[in-house]
Amino acid sequence: MNKENRVEDLIAYAKGYVHSDLAKMLLADLLNINSLELLTILDKEIDPEIINEYKRRVEELSLGKPIQYIIGNVNFYGNKFYCNPNTLIPRFETECLVEKTIEKAKIIFEDKINRKEKLDIIDLGTGTGCIGLTLKSKLDSNVTLVDISEEALKVAKRNSEELQLEAKFLKNNMLENINDKFDIIISNPPYIKDDEEIEDIVKNNEPHLALYGGIDGLKFYREILSNVKNNIKDNYLIAFEIGDTEKEDLFKLAKEYLVNYNIECIKDYTGRDRIIFIYNNEEII
């Protein structure tokens, strides 16, 4: 038996360059199995073509490329989403945004849902489409996915097709020149300040168009809220993911552009301020 082509030896090779968990993830993805299943096939010999591709991927990872871009997908809220360097990598914090939005929508739009009427949802700065498409899968809705990047929209369209979730796609800057009205307007916009220090792996790989939100990090919230009165129905929910220091700024922006609304901030799974809900249902506390 060739002692260099076995699963066990390939993992040992990769561990000389990257963390063992990542080494296993890379190999498991190439073999189309779960990482834990590798333990049951440690003596299995691997095809030379797969070995060459594995070593290439290990090198990419060792040079600082995110594993999500290398394997080309990420699990988000139970579904596998294709991603590439034209889109932000979907993150755990954004799963929290989706989960809490679903919960809030079922309260605010209870009557509409009970009447089996579709909700109209727009996801601004959609990237991979993970937010809007996940909402589509959990709520009976018409979903519009908006991004200013044509390449990002191609990724979202691919995910829509692979997940068999129908959506409308629009190349646009947030709500600019959009006249339709929506029940839910949701966005995880770029919110990092232009001069803010971030991890090298993020700064050097992910699209800056999807990361930076101007000098104060509020550019895109301001753009959305300044136009949003033209796009909300009588009963509405606006949902934002925010940076964990931006709560008070968002409360001020809402006061500047809206009247007769409710606003609340929800913490993420790590206890940080992460979600802003703005809505007009006075019965919701």
Side-chain angles (χ1 to χ4, degrees):
M1 181 179 289
N2 190 327
K3 296 295 185 181
E4 296 180 355
N5 293 350
R6 301 178 308 162
V7 166
E8 183 176 17
D9 297 303
L10 290 175
I11 294 173
Y13 160 81
K15 284 166 64 175
Y17 301 93
V18 300
H19 191 279
S20 61
D21 289 344
L22 297 178
K24 293 172 186 175
M25 285 177 63
L26 285 177
L27 187 54
D29 180 72
L30 283 171
L31 298 177
N32 198 29
I33 61 175
N34 186 286
S35 294
L36 294 177
E37 293 180 63
L38 290 174
L39 298 176
T40 67
I41 58 169
L42 292 176
D43 285 330
K44 179 180 174 66
E45 289 195 34
I46 303 302
D47 184 271
E49 289 186 5
I50 294 179
I51 292 173
N52 290 335
E53 176 62 14
Y54 180 61
K55 291 182 176 181
R56 186 190 69 79
R57 291 184 176 194
V58 168
E59 181 180 8
E60 282 190 319
L61 192 60
S62 71
L63 293 174
K65 186 172 182 178
I67 191 169
Q68 295 91 340
Y69 289 155
I70 295 172
I71 66 177
N73 65 73
V74 61
N75 187 284
F76 183 88
Y77 214 81
N79 282 316
K80 185 179 289 187
F81 281 84
Y82 167 67
C83 65
N84 66 27
N86 294 306
T87 62
L88 199 68
I89 297 169
R91 286 170 166 80
F92 191 51
E93 296 91 340
T94 306
E95 288 189 331
C96 185
L97 169 68
V98 169
E99 180 179 7
K100 299 301 181 182
T101 298
I102 293 168
E103 292 174 0
K104 182 67 76 175
K106 287 180 177 179
I107 298 171
I108 293 179
F109 305 108
E110 181 180 10
D111 290 344
K112 191 166 187 175
I113 291 171
N114 288 339
R115 293 194 301 268
K116 299 190 182 304
E117 296 179 19
K118 288 183 180 294
L119 298 176
D120 292 310
I121 300 173
I122 189 167
D123 174 13
L124 302 171
T126 193
T128 61
C130 64
I131 294 175
L133 292 175
T134 302
L135 291 179
K136 172 77 175 180
S137 73
K138 302 298 181 181
L139 298 169
D140 189 12
S141 54
N142 301 306
V143 172
T144 301
L145 305 181
V146 176
D147 207 292
I148 199 167
S149 165
E150 186 66 44
E151 294 304 313
L153 284 176
K154 289 178 182 178
V155 174
K157 288 176 182 177
R158 173 169 170 174
N159 283 320
S160 172
E161 292 168 359
E162 291 185 355
L163 295 171
Q164 297 183 334
L165 294 167
E166 184 179 351
K168 176 182 177 182
F169 301 89
L170 184 61
K171 183 178 185 298
N172 199 66
N173 179 37
M174 299 302 178
L175 289 171
E176 191 175 287
N177 298 319
I178 294 178
N179 298 315
D180 295 331
K181 294 184 181 294
F182 300 91
D183 299 287
I184 300 175
I185 295 175
I186 191 166
S187 184
N188 174 21
Y191 57 70
I192 297 171
K193 296 179 180 66
D194 287 349
D195 61 353
E196 188 174 339
E197 290 296 321
I198 59 176
E199 292 179 293
D200 285 343
I201 193 171
V202 175
K203 183 177 181 179
N204 296 336
N205 290 281
E206 300 192 54
H208 287 194
L209 185 66
L211 291 171
Y212 293 102
I215 295 175
D216 59 2
L218 304 174
K219 175 183 177 181
F220 296 103
Y221 300 111
R222 196 174 286 111
E223 287 184 7
I224 294 169
L225 290 174
S226 64
N227 288 299
V228 79
K229 285 189 292 185
N230 300 318
N231 302 108
I232 49 178
K233 297 185 181 181
D234 292 338
N235 207 26
Y236 67 85
L237 171 63
I238 301 168
F240 289 134
E241 181 173 324
I242 66 169
D244 60 6
T245 64
E246 295 176 330
K247 171 185 173 181
E248 296 304 323
D249 290 325
L250 264 293
F251 274 52
K252 291 176 183 177
L253 280 179
K255 187 175 182 179
E256 181 177 349
Y257 293 111
L258 297 169
V259 295
N260 300 326
Y261 63 91
N262 297 277
I263 187 168
E264 62 181 297
C265 182
I266 307 294
K267 296 185 183 297
D268 63 19
Y269 304 125
T270 65
R272 297 182 177 183
D273 291 335
R274 187 64 62 191
I275 300 161
I276 292 288
F277 285 143
I278 306 170
Y279 49 92
N280 71 335
N281 190 329
E282 296 180 355
E283 297 179 0
I284 308 294
I285 303 301

